[in-house]
Amino acid sequence: MLCFPRAWEAGFGAGPRLWAGPGRGRGPGPAGCERGEQGRHGIRSAGRWLVSAMAPRCWRWWYWTAWPRTRPPPAGCTLSVRQQFSTQEQMPQICVVGSGPAGFYTAQHLLKHHPRAHVDIFEKQLVPFGLVRFGVAPDHPEVKNVINTFTQTAHSDRCAFHGNVVVGRDVTVPELREAYHAVVLSYGAEDHQALGIPGEELPGVFSARAFVGWYNGLPENRELAPDLSCDTAVILGQGNVALDVARILLTPPEHLEKTDITEAALGVLRQSRVKTVWIVGRRGPLQVAFTIKELREMIQLPGTRPILDPADFLGLQDRIKEVPRPRKRLTELLLRTATEKPGAEEAARQASASRTWGLRFFRSPQQVLPSPDGRQVAGIRLAVTRLEGVGDTTRAVPTGDVEDLPCGLVLSSVGYKSRPIDHSVPFDPKLGVIPNMEGRVVDVPGVRPVSFSDWEKLDAEEVSRGQGTGKPREKLLDPQEMLRLLGR
């Protein structure tokens, strides 16, 4: 999360600064931290930094004359950034860009700790909730329950949601900074890290981010159309997203029918011929980035059996004695799965499995191999690696050996990065982040925002469409259809 306070406010010197916090739910955001527990703590930390810096200030009331504070503009109106202020009012007016977990947690914190604060949340999608809606796997509905809390926040008369507004196109960051006391950038990571290897552009190579967006109904990925007619898929990366993708590829489709996966994705998965999924990492078992919950789900996935090479775990038993408890428990589960003979019931289950998945350690992608006609991926060339260094400095270096792994689908899950939001905001294209120090950064016609009540109409339509098949919802995918349903 990143925040622009007003330039004239006490405590910030002569010019505006930017604050960044690492938190952002299921994926990295502008500050570049990865998903997981750290992200959730980071959200709280960012909110605390923001509040502690704003608390002692004397606020003035700024607002857009064409945009009333407690309701969205009427249909057909345009945004204006003329300011008015009253020295008799002391109401913090804060703008949050992005309605994912980081954005909503920030809004919650502000509304709770500043009884007079008003928060406007801007979102480029027509619908709210960001990665909770578009990133969380459809078979993890319990994680999405946080939407209920976010909905309560959006219903506050001191909070307004404005969907279908693209900051940087429909309204600029300088205009927002003129209209608000503070602007928080929590728009997340909208791009993936490229592999940077030959063959990456071949048909059959996708980013895990796009694949997740496809089965979760992200409008920009609805036309992805992955070809699942192959026998083997390779996922590059060993984080939770990689395991999510592997699990969705291998889960029996009937187990997904009552989830909110899109009907289009479910139809493709029903026809899938993928029987084997390899999850490849540059380093070893002690360096995997997934968590024990996701690993346990994979091990127990119906109709599948794991493939782990016991040689990858030699000497690991003694090395895990001093590692932190969560890492120790995770590695012990990997060890047991790789080296211990399963019990009779588990052995019978694995013997009847028609699909397999495996972890390939100490392998780094070198080249995506084409089919003979050059029109499709046929495999991937992997460099064999070894580890150098200890602890956090451990890195994988090539040994000089390579191996080719046949496959018909390659999914890259090696990280996310942000995109620049506005030409006025500094951006580091190499790191994919907005440069910051402790989180602080050293008339628009035709905009028709979508309100939260508009979202609730779309929500009701999705739920209604899902009831016929027993699903919690059937997600709307086409932004133009959404606008038509709203009478736009």
Side-chain angles (χ1 to χ4, degrees):
M1 269 178 298
L2 311 170
C3 175
F4 285 104
R6 291 277 305 174
W8 43 262
E9 291 172 4
F12 286 90
R17 305 289 177 82
L18 170 71
W19 300 346
R24 66 209 25 95
R26 291 281 291 182
C33 130
E34 295 183 359
R35 60 177 247 193
E37 292 296 328
Q38 182 182 4
R40 286 197 286 272
H41 292 303
I43 289 168
R44 298 192 184 101
S45 298
R48 184 167 62 251
W49 300 334
L50 180 65
V51 170
S52 65
M54 291 192 298
R57 301 190 195 117
C58 179
W59 295 96
R60 288 179 273 179
W61 185 16
W62 296 72
Y63 64 95
W64 290 352
T65 57
W67 200 323
R69 297 298 317 165
T70 58
R71 61 184 184 276
C77 86
T78 60
L79 297 185
S80 169
V81 288
R82 300 183 210 134
Q83 353 175 322
Q84 294 183 357
F85 65 89
S86 168
T87 57
Q88 297 179 4
E89 295 286 351
Q90 296 181 5
M91 290 185 178
Q93 309 289 329
I94 298 103
C95 167
V96 175
V97 180
S99 68
F104 264 104
Y105 280 131
T106 297
Q108 283 180 4
H109 193 100
L110 288 166
L111 296 174
K112 178 180 179 180
H113 293 280
H114 291 271
R116 299 181 68 82
H118 287 257
V119 179
D120 283 342
I121 302 175
F122 290 86
E123 169 59 55
K124 75 170 188 176
Q125 303 291 339
L126 275 81
V127 297
F129 310 134
L131 285 173
V132 180
R133 177 181 171 94
F134 297 122
V136 176
D139 57 349
H140 285 173
E142 71 286 351
V143 181
K144 303 186 184 188
N145 288 337
V146 71
I147 286 177
N148 299 326
T149 303
F150 295 164
T151 297
Q152 292 176 11
T153 300
H155 282 160
S156 168
D157 58 5
R158 294 188 291 122
C159 182
F161 170 80
H162 306 294
N164 199 31
V165 178
V166 179
V167 174
R169 183 193 70 187
D170 301 329
V171 62
T172 67
V173 170
E175 288 171 331
L176 293 176
R177 295 179 67 190
E178 287 299 310
Y180 291 91
H181 295 95
V183 177
V184 180
L185 301 180
S186 58
Y187 64 93
E190 301 177 284
D191 208 349
H192 67 281
Q193 295 284 0
L195 293 171
I197 60 175
E200 187 175 7
E201 74 290 343
L202 282 170
V205 181
F206 302 96
S207 71
R209 183 192 182 281
F211 191 79
V212 170
W214 168 71
Y215 65 65
N216 269 332
L218 184 61
E220 67 188 60
N221 297 131
R222 67 185 187 275
E223 305 294 341
L224 194 70
D227 182 358
L228 305 185
S229 62
C230 60
D231 177 81
T232 301
V234 170
I235 302 173
L236 302 172
Q238 293 182 333
N240 279 342
V241 173
L243 292 199
D244 282 350
V245 169
R247 194 176 65 254
I248 294 299
L249 280 171
L250 295 176
T251 295
E254 59 270 21
H255 290 211
L256 298 172
E257 290 176 351
K258 304 305 179 184
T259 73
D260 67 354
I261 192 171
T262 68
E263 191 60 37
L266 188 58
V268 173
L269 290 169
R270 287 192 181 108
Q271 302 300 316
S272 172
R273 297 180 183 175
V274 175
K275 300 297 182 184
T276 302
V277 175
W278 290 107
I279 306 163
V280 179
R282 293 177 296 115
R283 297 186 291 174
L286 269 177
Q287 290 80 37
V288 296
F290 52 73
T291 56
I292 194 169
K293 177 181 180 294
E294 277 73 16
L295 175 62
R296 191 176 289 117
E297 285 181 321
M298 285 299 299
I299 293 172
Q300 298 172 353
L301 190 63
T304 71
R305 61 182 178 87
I307 303 174
L308 298 177
D309 186 352
D312 290 333
F313 298 84
L314 293 176
L316 210 57
Q317 188 69 58
D318 293 332
R319 294 167 57 196
I320 64 175
K321 292 179 180 178
E322 305 301 323
V323 301
R325 186 171 182 271
R327 172 66 63 180
K328 181 179 180 181
R329 292 178 60 235
L330 171 63
T331 310
E332 286 174 341
L333 179 56
L334 283 169
L335 266 169
R336 289 196 300 271
T337 306
T339 62
E340 293 183 4
K341 184 178 180 180
E345 183 177 345
E346 176 64 14
R349 187 190 72 82
Q350 292 186 13
S352 64
S354 60
R355 298 181 175 185
T356 60
W357 63 272
L359 294 169
R360 299 292 292 268
F361 298 109
F362 309 110
R363 301 291 186 274
S364 180
Q366 258 194 353
Q367 179 184 355
V368 179
L369 304 174
S371 58
D373 60 8
R375 296 182 179 180
Q376 180 70 25
V377 58
I380 188 160
R381 179 159 296 159
L382 301 171
V384 180
T385 64
R386 57 182 174 81
L387 297 183
E388 287 187 354
V390 294
D392 293 338
T393 65
T394 301
R395 62 190 185 96
V397 297
T399 63
D401 295 330
V402 297
E403 66 179 31
D404 292 347
L405 184 58
C407 63
L409 177 68
V410 174
L411 295 163
S412 169
S413 184
V414 295
Y416 300 93
K417 64 179 181 180
S418 292
R419 296 173 182 167
I421 191 171
D422 190 288
H423 65 84
S424 68
V425 181
F427 190 79
D428 184 335
K430 183 177 181 180
L431 297 178
V433 299
I434 296 174
N436 65 90
M437 182 174 292
E438 295 184 348
R440 289 166 44 171
V441 172
V442 231
D443 291 317
V444 183
V447 181
R448 305 183 66 183
V450 173
S451 67
F452 199 82
S453 60
D454 288 332
W455 147 246
E456 290 181 316
K457 294 175 185 176
L458 299 176
D459 178 45
E461 178 66 21
E462 290 185 343
V463 172
S464 175
R465 293 187 182 189
Q467 286 176 346
T469 55
K471 299 174 62 177
R473 69 176 63 243
E474 182 58 42
K475 292 178 182 175
L476 297 167
L477 304 180
D478 186 350
Q480 294 305 313
E481 180 187 9
M482 297 184 203
L483 290 171
R484 286 195 298 272
L485 290 170
L486 296 175
R488 304 291 180 86

